[in-house]
């Protein structure tokens, strides 16, 4: 069973800053099947990235994903006010699928 | 068209069961995978398992094994999640989500169904 650890737990940044979120897997993720999600209060999660680096439809290009094996990163190049939210990674390369515990990006 | 529409909120007694439905747009599953994910109040996302309707295959997280059942009615395009022996720790928002292709997991999400377990 793969365990995903996200860091940091909270990221305090200002609009316009660059955000770098980490997702580390306890074992190599098959096919780099890692996704990243954004969740705002009172809303369902929204898929941003799948396959470690492919943006979902309609996702702005300030969001990018990278990594392979056990280390994956979500980068938000310049934070917009609407980007302050909680971000989760997941792995779906092997069963059981799993989510990380989340990183909150808050306004500094 | 909204890809997934879930049933409404439920209040249940401890020890009882709950069934949550998830209707796909167009009333067909095609080759999608339907996952079920829950979120306890103030907590993160927890994967409960998935069903591949076209193959009638299910994959349950060990934590829920024996207590949860996923059903997919191919005639109507509605997926169901049944959870038994409810306790207060099952109070959560329950989401269904579906894949877009074999390269994705939870591409589209339902709006969530709040299940409250209280005596």
């Amino acid at each position: 069973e793969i365990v995903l650890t996200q860091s940091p737990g909270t990221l305090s940044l200002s609009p316009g800053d660059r955000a770098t979120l980490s997702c580390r897997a306890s074992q190599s993720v098959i096919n780099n099947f890692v996704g990243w999600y954004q969740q705002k209060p009172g809303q369902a999660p929204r898929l941003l990235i799948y396959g470690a680096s492919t943006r979902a439809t309609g996702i702005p290009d300030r969001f990018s994903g990278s990594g392979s094996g056990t280390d994956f990163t979500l980068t938000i190049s310049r934070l917009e006010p609407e980007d302050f939210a909680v971000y989760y990674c997941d792995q779906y390369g092997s069963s059981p699928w799993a989510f990380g515990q989340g990183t909150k990006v808050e306004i500094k | 068209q909204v890809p997934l529409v879930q049933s409404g909120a439920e209040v249940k007694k401890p020890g009882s069961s709950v069934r949550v439905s998830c209707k796909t747009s167009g009333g067909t599953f095609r080759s999608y995978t339907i996952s079920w994910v829950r979120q306890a109040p103030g907590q993160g996302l927890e994967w409960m398992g998935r069903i591949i309707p076209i193959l009638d295959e299910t994959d349950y997280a060990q934590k829920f094994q024996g207590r949860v059942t996923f059903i997919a009615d191919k005639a109507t395009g509605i997926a169901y999640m049944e959870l038994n022996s409810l306790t207060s720790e099952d109070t959560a928002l329950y989401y269904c989500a579906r894949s877009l292709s074999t390269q994705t997991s939870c591409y589209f999400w339902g709006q969530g169904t709040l299940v409250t377990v209280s005596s």
Side-chain angles (χ1 to χ4, degrees):
Chain A
E1 175 177 337
I2 295 178
V3 175
L4 299 179
T5 302
Q6 292 188 239
S7 61
T10 302
L11 205 47
S12 298
L13 296 169
S14 301
D17 285 349
R18 181 184 185 89
T20 303
L21 287 66
S22 172
C23 176
R24 179 161 290 177
S26 58
Q27 306 169 40
S28 186
V29 179
I30 294 171
N31 294 326
N32 295 324
F33 277 174
V34 167
W36 288 94
Y37 303 82
Q38 177 193 68
Q39 189 179 33
K40 298 179 182 178
Q43 295 184 18
R46 174 175 73 144
L47 178 68
L48 302 173
I49 302 287
Y50 63 91
S53 61
T54 303
R55 271 188 300 276
T57 301
I59 301 304
D61 61 7
R62 64 180 181 273
F63 292 93
S64 63
S66 62
S68 64
T70 60
D71 289 309
F72 299 90
T73 301
L74 174 71
T75 301
I76 311 171
S77 59
R78 286 180 58 86
L79 282 165
E80 297 288 339
E82 62 268 28
D83 299 336
F84 292 91
V86 180
Y87 293 83
Y88 296 93
C89 60
D90 80 336
Q91 76 82 21
Y92 51 101
S94 59
S95 181
W97 294 2
F99 287 93
Q101 82 279 18
T103 291
K104 182 178 182 181
V105 179
E106 66 176 22
I107 299 177
K108 188 174 182 181
Chain B
Q1 207 171 11
V2 179
L4 298 168
V5 179
Q6 297 184 223
S7 48
E10 302 264 11
V11 179
K12 293 293 181 179
K13 299 284 190 191
S16 66
S17 300
V18 68
R19 175 185 264 210
V20 177
S21 68
C22 172
K23 182 173 173 57
T24 59
S25 65
T28 175
F29 291 116
R30 301 189 181 180
S31 58
Y32 304 142
T33 293
I34 302 289
S35 295
W36 289 92
V37 177
R38 78 176 186 179
Q39 187 170 36
Q43 303 301 307
L45 303 175
E46 181 175 29
W47 185 76
M48 299 179 69
R50 63 189 172 122
I51 183 168
I52 306 174
I54 197 171
L55 299 176
D56 284 322
E57 283 186 7
T58 55
D59 180 17
Y60 299 116
Q62 187 168 11
K63 175 178 179 177
F64 301 99
Q65 197 84 265
R67 203 163 67 92
V68 71
T69 304
F70 301 147
I71 301 164
D73 184 337
K74 289 190 280 289
T76 61
I78 300 175
Y80 299 91
M81 185 280 297
E82 295 184 343
L83 187 62
N84 305 317
S85 304
L86 293 169
T87 72
S88 58
E89 293 187 353
D90 294 314
T91 293
L93 257 175
Y94 289 78
Y95 293 102
C96 63
R98 77 156 175 87
S99 63
L100 179 67
S101 70
T102 55
Q103 309 296 310
T104 66
S105 56
C106 302
Y107 201 99
F108 297 108
W109 292 70
Q111 81 277 20
T113 296
L114 179 62
V115 175
T116 303
V117 183
S118 173
S119 54

